[in-house]
Amino acid sequence: MTSHADPASATVHGGPDLPQERRLVTGIPGPRSVELHQRKQQAVSSAVGTVLPVYAVAAGGGVVVDVDGNSLIDFGSGIAVTTVGNSHPGVVAAVTDQVAAFTHTCFMVTPYDGYVAVAERLNALTPGDHEKRTALFNSGAEAVENAVKIARSHTGRQAVVVFDHAYHGRTNLTMAMTAKNMPYKHGFGPFAGEVYRAPLSYPFRDGGRDGADAAAQAIEVIEKQVGATNLAAVVIEPILGEGGFVVPASGFLAAIAAWCRANGVVFVADEVQTGVARTGALFACEHEGVVPDLIVTAKGLAGGMPLSAVTGHAEIMDAPHTGGLGGTYGGNPVACAAALAVLEAVAADGLVERARAIEATMLPRLRALQQADPRIGDVRGRGAMIAIELVRPGTTEPDAALTAQLAAAAHADGLIVLTCGTWGNVLRFLPPLAIPDHLLEEGLDVLERIFAASR
Ligand SMILES: *Cc1c(COP(=O)(O)O)cnc(C)c1O
């Protein structure tokens, strides 16, 4: 066993130098993971679930190594977070330097350069060449909440429109904005008011309705049920995350954004999951030529350090009173150092192109699998954000049991995959963009094998 995988070694290093191999030396989970999981069950609230109870000791490139020495192919990236690769050398160096300099002063007390530099980078990199400002927070949900606060302050209006199948987080306001009851909302109400839901373009389930037509339907619901003059913001994921990696029909986003502009409504793109090169563009809005008023980023932004941002038009971002936005940890210096290193790595490592290359490898192989397997209703996604929707053959009836069975089989075979979707019938793939080609292909081999074995 290599020292990298040995949990007893004094220092366990992750990053791209980890052996890039799928290696199973025990059953999944192995005995040390089982032992840790028993401790977890005694110590951690059972409400905090785990997809795959193998306990990690190192990760990097395209693998996660566990306490038993198993090396799993990573098609999850910790839910689209380690886009540049786990423990990317640039991130490790930047974080190490910053930790040694200072860990916290609170930007609202004595500020520091890293926060300003992240704001400058996001202002420059996000779509549109208008004057922009950024505010930093800790989590995706916190940033979505702040985008709503900013939009309300700017417009003097209260209502917020979100869409079917949306996921925006687990705080009180974002639970209201999230569509799915179980597990995100069940028993946790009452929820924040003035949140309204409009129909989404979902090509696989709406008969392939075109984007303009689907947008017209959504706009009619908004106008009749909310009223444009009551509406502060429309918040939408350009490609849905937890809701099933739904890619709205072309033109849908642009038509909604145009309607917002014409009605003084703030158009907010929740790019928490899609942002920072994940979809083969720096931001998923770019695929649709849409320039959002505000854009929310988080997951892929800081290589695993907790950091989120709201970026947008200076006059909207500057609307709240001074002191109205903030938080103790928002824009923590260590997280900012990580984000600067991530944004540098995205450019230096050519990660936008890498995401496109991953799509070019994955989509044809998954579509070939679909040709041979009528349980695969849809294969969709962009860049390194690709999914399979599973149904009963010849119908659109969701097959959640099959999805769970296939995910478990992938895990047992050393491939980390996640599920999603309102009906729990979507297998989603989010490999780190640092995954080497041979592991990407091997992960797809595993998928082909488990699909064949389940027939
Ligand atoms: C994950 C996610 C969030 C919430 O982010 P947290 O950091 O978990 O609070 C919000 N929106 C989208 C689209 C997400 O994928």
Side-chain angles (χ1 to χ4, degrees):
M1 190 189 290
T2 68
S3 62
H4 288 138
D6 184 359
S9 69
T11 313
V12 181
H13 287 290
D17 294 339
L18 271 184
Q20 295 297 303
E21 61 183 6
R22 186 176 65 96
R23 182 182 67 232
L24 296 178
V25 297
T26 70
I28 298 290
R32 287 177 170 174
S33 279
V34 168
E35 210 178 292
L36 278 164
H37 205 57
Q38 280 159 0
R39 271 174 55 202
K40 182 248 182 195
Q41 277 157 337
Q42 292 305 308
V44 179
S45 163
S46 61
V48 182
T50 42
V51 169
L52 169 56
V54 304
Y55 283 69
V57 289
V63 297
V64 174
V65 177
D66 76 9
V67 282
D68 292 287
N70 299 297
S71 176
L72 287 80
I73 298 176
D74 186 9
F75 274 15
S77 298
I79 320 188
V81 169
T82 54
T83 303
V84 298
N86 229 305
S87 295
H88 183 285
V91 173
V92 171
V95 165
T96 306
D97 285 352
Q98 182 57 50
V99 166
F102 63 96
T103 48
H104 176 84
T105 58
C106 187
F107 191 75
M108 301 181 302
V109 179
T110 53
Y112 38 86
D113 170 59
Y115 188 121
V116 178
V118 170
E120 288 169 346
R121 296 297 292 139
L122 287 172
N123 294 346
L125 292 171
T126 49
D129 51 14
H130 48 280
E131 196 176 341
K132 291 177 213 150
R133 300 282 186 270
T134 287
L136 300 180
F137 306 96
N138 301 288
S139 69
E142 191 188 1
V144 170
E145 289 228 7
N146 276 279
V148 170
K149 284 162 68 172
I150 293 162
R152 284 177 171 161
S153 180
H154 171 72
T155 59
R157 306 169 179 172
Q158 295 187 347
V160 177
V161 161
V162 291
F163 288 82
D164 286 336
H165 311 289
Y167 181 84
H168 297 294
R170 296 171 179 265
T171 57
N172 187 264
L173 174 58
T174 58
M175 274 194 292
M177 296 169 70
T178 288
K180 192 175 176 178
N181 176 48
M182 201 57 142
Y184 307 121
K185 304 168 73 162
H186 186 73
F188 297 148
F191 304 112
E194 288 305 309
V195 175
Y196 301 89
R197 200 166 302 283
L200 180 77
S201 163
Y202 191 153
F204 177 63
R205 292 189 174 275
D206 64 12
R209 187 172 196 157
D210 75 32
D213 198 36
Q217 188 198 12
I219 288 164
E220 183 174 30
V221 167
I222 296 168
E223 287 180 338
K224 299 304 170 205
Q225 298 183 19
V226 186
T229 57
N230 297 312
L231 186 55
V234 168
V235 183
I236 188 164
E237 301 157 84
I239 298 174
L240 273 72
E242 309 306 298
F245 283 23
V246 180
V247 185
S250 176
F252 181 77
L253 286 175
I256 302 278
W259 180 87
C260 285
R261 196 166 312 117
N263 288 279
V265 174
V266 177
F267 180 85
V268 182
D270 178 349
E271 294 234 20
V272 168
Q273 192 152 161
T274 52
V276 197
R278 172 55 58 187
T279 67
L282 218 36
F283 300 96
C285 278
E286 295 169 30
H287 295 293
E288 290 291 312
V290 168
V291 177
D293 295 315
L294 300 181
I295 181 162
V296 182
T297 50
K299 289 188 168 97
L301 180 58
M305 300 300 291
L307 187 70
S308 61
V310 182
T311 301
H313 275 280
E315 67 270 25
I316 301 176
M317 291 297 297
D318 287 343
H321 49 280
T322 299
L325 304 180
T328 305
Y329 295 114
N332 168 272
V334 182
C336 286
L340 292 170
V342 163
L343 294 172
E344 208 173 295
V346 166
D349 301 352
L351 294 184
V352 168
E353 297 71 29
R354 177 65 188 147
R356 291 183 182 203
I358 288 172
E359 173 184 331
T361 298
M362 294 189 80
L363 278 185
R365 284 194 61 181
L366 295 174
R367 292 209 164 115
L369 192 59
Q370 179 185 22
Q371 290 302 312
D373 196 327
R375 301 170 302 174
I376 300 178
D378 197 21
V379 173
R380 59 179 176 248
R382 280 186 161 131
M385 185 169 182
I386 305 286
I388 285 177
E389 179 157 358
L390 294 156
V391 293
R392 299 202 189 285
T395 74
T396 57
E397 199 187 317
D399 195 341
L402 174 65
T403 310
Q405 179 199 325
L406 289 167
H411 299 161
D413 215 356
L415 176 67
I416 300 174
V417 297
L418 306 172
T419 62
C420 64
T422 296
W423 298 278
N425 69 321
V426 178
L427 272 181
R428 61 169 153 170
F429 313 119
L430 292 158
L433 304 183
I435 193 171
D437 282 330
H438 75 273
L439 281 186
L440 188 63
E441 300 281 4
E442 193 178 346
L444 292 163
D445 294 343
V446 171
L447 286 174
E448 285 171 4
R449 202 154 62 226
I450 61 164
F451 270 90
S454 70
R455 271 200 289 270

